[in-house]
Amino acid sequence: MRELFRTLPLMCVVLLVPVLPFLLFGGQLETWLRGVAEDPPSVAATAALVIGLLATDILLPIPSSVVSTMSGWQLGWWRGTLATWVGMNLGAVIGFALARRWGQPFALWFSSGEDLDRMREVSQRYGPLVLVLTRAVPVFAEASVLISGIHRLSWRRFLPAILLSNLGIAIAYSALGEYAQRHQWLPFALGASIGLPVLIAAAAKRWLPE
């Protein structure tokens, strides 16, 4: 419980990130959003941007939940789901392949030793299922992919777990984004897409082995 309370100030700051701009610059943002709605980028350009961002998520600190929610807001739930799913799968495959090729030294560039050790213990307990269990958990999702690559998990065991779990996450966030667009609840949707992963990560830190 003390661990959770230590993370609460950070959670509050993170939850305010999407809300404060609307409070401080609501008029300008509303005008900008109306302009985007009236003259949106092409579907292909938006989808390519979503895919590109999510494909680098394993290597860069991309807020994937926010990108996935915005994907549904801009593209609708089924196009948003497709773009998000493709991007998330590319990111996972890239990280897995690089970790298989270069192993622990590569993984330590993009994840802490502590997180990798936790994922190693969970992986030994649950096998490929750890990829599904941690898929929605920030940091640990990436660490589980890297650990699977380090252990040279076979592609035929890696891909089904990643493809199916990524599909569920893509549907959920894209549907949230489309719902927010219909009801003009973008601040709420962005707050949820940031806050929920933070809460899940805090809970996971208590559940995962030290």
Side-chain angles (χ1 to χ4, degrees), residues 20-185:
L20 280 177
F22 281 86
L23 295 177
L24 299 175
F25 309 104
Q28 296 92 321
L29 283 172
E30 184 179 352
T31 301
W32 177 78
L33 289 171
R34 189 181 299 113
V36 170
E38 293 173 355
D39 186 23
S42 69
V43 170
T46 303
L49 178 61
V50 169
I51 291 171
L53 288 171
L54 293 176
T56 60
D57 181 41
I58 194 78
L59 308 176
L60 299 172
I62 302 295
S64 59
S65 58
V66 174
V67 173
S68 302
T69 301
M70 293 297 291
S71 176
W73 182 63
Q74 284 286 330
L75 300 173
W77 81 266
W78 76 266
R79 289 192 184 93
T81 293
L82 182 60
T84 297
W85 187 58
V86 170
M88 291 177 70
N89 290 335
L90 283 175
V93 165
I94 290 169
F96 179 73
L98 292 175
R100 276 174 62 93
R101 174 66 179 82
W102 282 290
Q104 183 90 7
F106 168 82
L108 286 173
W109 274 96
F110 301 102
S111 191
S112 72
E114 178 186 351
D115 292 333
L116 290 175
D117 288 341
R118 284 182 168 182
M119 285 302 100
R120 183 178 292 107
E121 292 186 39
V122 178
S123 180
Q124 290 171 351
R125 186 181 308 170
Y126 296 104
L129 184 61
V130 70
L131 294 166
V132 178
L133 295 175
T134 61
R135 205 73 212 114
V137 185
V139 178
F140 296 124
E142 291 80 7
S144 67
V145 167
L146 295 173
I147 280 293
S148 297
I150 291 172
H151 289 172
R152 304 189 65 79
L153 183 70
S154 67
W155 284 98
R156 64 183 179 83
R157 299 183 72 192
F158 172 78
L159 285 175
I162 284 294
L163 294 178
L164 291 176
S165 54
N166 280 346
L167 180 59
I169 294 171
I171 290 173
Y173 280 120
S174 295
L176 173 63
E178 184 184 55
Y179 188 81
Q181 191 276 333
R182 287 181 179 179
H183 298 274
Q184 296 301 301
W185 287 354

